[in-house]
Amino acid sequence: MIAEATTHSTARSQGAGGQPDKSRPGAAAPADGDSSVSVRDLDIAFGAHKVIAGLNLEIPPGEFLVLLGPSGCGKSTLLNAIAGLLDISDGEIWIDGKNVTWAEPKDRGIGMVFQSYALYPRMNVERNLSFGLRISGLPKAEIEARVKRVSELLQLDGLLKRRPAELSGGQRQRVAIGRALVRNVDVFLFDEPLSNLDAKLRNELRVEIKKLHQRLGNTMIYVTHDQVEAMTLADRIAVMRGGVIQQLGPPKEIYRRPVNRFVASFIGSPGMNFFDGRIETTASGAEVRLDGATVPLDRYGFKRPPEGGRKAIFGIRPEHITLGETPPEQFTTHGMVDLVEGMGADTIVWTSLAGAPLTIRTDGDTAIRPGETIRFSFDPANACLFDAETDLRL
């Protein structure tokens, strides 16, 4: 399923000979365009291989949008197309009301931060920050004012005379971000900017980027395969697979109501537990029958009335399962502990349900040992059901 991203063919702006009209980079946006960035019927192909087909995406001003997905899903390809670093096969890209489909990257009004720092090693921080402004011919006073503002914003004041080799990884990435910020543009693009940093620095810079967005209010598009970055940074997340946006929505919505099994499996750590089952209707409602277990579904929010006899995949997140005594409306059963993983604040308990492995995320102080029999339960309202053939949410 695709949310706010379609793959159908629509009328596109054509020039002579059926080719996209390349003469319209400054054309006015349509009356319905309220977007900071608008991607319309985008096609991208490498030779005969089509990577993205008919993709549509609207990003309102000031939004922090995260493109999330596994390697090869098309997220960086989409970002590079927006930046103008990649030729497209068809479609249009609009930024701040202007058609920039065929505009050069420098004319698109964007600032970009790459995965690699890409700093000039022989220049100090101050000259790295100001280099682009100097070659564009800005007055010296304006350059100094912008560098001062950005260095204060990113806490680089005391580092301006240092060269990149004298900086830590986190400091180098802050300089790379600063080099984009000095351009005073409305749209910033981030291509996995934290992936080269260790875990501690990633956490610190993730917080800094979120604070930066709150202070500036600019539109930001951020590419990552890290779901923690996506969940903590985004106003909305676009989960991608095979060049298609599978689901587009706020982090909480994607976490609680994934539109298909792929999204459900990609979001969450540890991942969602899945079990093969069959839905049956009863006089009192519906239930899903697993191998040796039956879960009532009267508290589950179906999108439409369920069909009896339908094969389904039942999913429940590890953190939605509790140990010990629970309210009567919850499904309760027991199992033997196979493995216990202590993670400090949390403990991951491995057991089984319906003949398949089950993980439970519980308190870090929980005292459980392998071989013990435990009682556990969950509220079916927190579960996810997917059609066994289409993988779509029921």
Side-chain angles (χ1 to χ4, degrees), residues 36 59-66 149 153-154 177 181 185-190 205-222 229-230 232-236:
S36 175
I59 305 171
E63 180 173 74
F64 199 124
L65 178 81
V66 173
R149 178 181 65 86
L153 191 64
L154 296 174
I177 293 171
L181 294 184
V185 294
D186 293 325
V187 178
F188 293 103
L189 310 179
F190 295 83
L205 265 182
R206 189 177 70 233
V207 171
E208 290 304 314
I209 291 173
K210 186 67 173 179
K211 288 180 179 177
L212 190 64
H213 179 253
Q214 291 173 347
R215 290 193 205 109
L216 299 177
N218 296 66
T219 303
M220 294 186 177
I221 308 175
Y222 188 104
E229 287 181 21
T232 54
L233 288 172
D235 295 322
R236 287 191 304 165

Side-chain angles (χ1 to χ4, degrees), residues 82-322:
I82 294 172
L85 301 176
L86 190 65
D87 287 337
I88 68 174
S89 305
D90 206 349
E92 294 180 344
I93 296 170
W94 294 69
I95 297 178
D96 288 336
K98 294 182 179 180
N99 185 349
V100 299
T101 307
W102 305 105
E104 293 296 323
K106 64 182 179 63
D107 299 323
R108 296 195 176 206
I110 59 166
M112 190 160 186
V113 181
F114 297 93
Q115 179 177 345
S116 60
Y117 315 128
L119 302 179
Y120 298 105
R122 295 181 181 275
M123 295 184 187
N124 61 24
V125 170
E126 184 177 19
R127 291 185 67 79
N128 263 285
L129 291 174
S130 64
F131 180 75
L133 304 180
R134 285 186 280 114
I135 64 172
S136 66
L138 272 184
K140 183 177 180 181
E142 173 69 11
I143 293 174
E144 290 176 351
R146 290 194 190 185
V147 170
K148 184 176 186 296
R149 178 181 65 86
V150 168
S151 62
E152 289 175 352
L153 191 64
L154 296 174
Q155 300 175 22
L156 295 170
D157 319 50
L159 306 174
L160 291 177
K161 301 305 177 184
R162 295 189 189 181
R163 292 187 178 184
E166 301 172 292
L167 304 176
S168 69
Q171 291 168 337
R172 293 180 198 178
Q173 194 57 280
R174 290 215 305 273
V175 175
I177 293 171
R179 194 168 52 186
L181 294 184
V182 294
R183 297 201 59 215
N184 278 0
V185 294
D186 293 325
V187 178
F188 293 103
L189 310 179
F190 295 83
D191 190 6
E192 302 197 53
L194 308 184
S195 59
N196 287 341
L197 305 178
D198 62 41
K200 184 175 183 296
L201 278 177
R202 279 203 306 271
N203 292 339
E204 291 175 355
L205 265 182
R206 189 177 70 233
V207 171
E208 290 304 314
I209 291 173
K210 186 67 173 179
K211 288 180 179 177
L212 190 64
H213 179 253
Q214 291 173 347
R215 290 193 205 109
L216 299 177
N218 296 66
T219 303
M220 294 186 177
I221 308 175
Y222 188 104
V223 162
T224 185
H225 61 270
D226 187 322
Q227 57 170 297
V228 175
E229 287 181 21
M231 295 293 288
T232 54
L233 288 172
D235 295 322
R236 287 191 304 165
I237 299 173
V239 183
M240 296 188 66
R241 182 189 190 190
V244 176
I245 296 178
Q246 304 288 309
Q247 185 170 2
L248 175 63
K252 186 176 290 186
E253 176 186 313
I254 286 178
Y255 172 79
R256 293 195 172 276
R257 297 188 64 81
V259 297
N260 57 34
R261 183 174 176 176
F262 171 78
V263 175
S265 64
F266 199 80
I267 297 291
S269 181
M272 182 179 286
N273 299 290
F274 293 107
F275 306 92
D276 294 330
R278 182 184 297 274
I279 297 174
E280 298 294 350
T281 55
T282 65
S284 58
E287 59 190 23
V288 59
R289 296 178 183 175
L290 313 177
D291 184 9
T294 300
V295 181
L297 298 175
D298 52 307
R299 291 173 55 80
Y300 180 79
F302 281 99
K303 297 175 72 173
R304 57 184 61 87
E307 303 171 10
R310 187 174 193 172
K311 289 184 178 181
I313 305 297
F314 179 83
I316 187 73
R317 294 197 182 280
E319 55 270 31
H320 289 157
I321 306 172
T322 55

Side-chain angles (χ1 to χ4, degrees), residues 330-387:
Q330 296 204 5
F331 170 81
T332 303
T333 186
H334 62 275
M336 188 179 75
V337 176
D338 298 317
L339 181 69
V340 178
E341 295 180 289
M343 302 178 65
D346 300 312
T347 296
I348 307 300
V349 179
W350 288 76
T351 180
S352 60
L353 173 66
L358 175 81
T359 57
I360 302 171
R361 186 172 185 168
T362 187
D363 186 84
D365 295 328
T366 301
I368 295 178
R369 295 181 179 180
E372 290 185 26
T373 297
I374 56 172
R375 192 173 184 81
F376 58 90
S377 61
F378 55 82
D379 186 346
N382 292 326
C384 293
L385 274 172
F386 305 99
D387 183 270

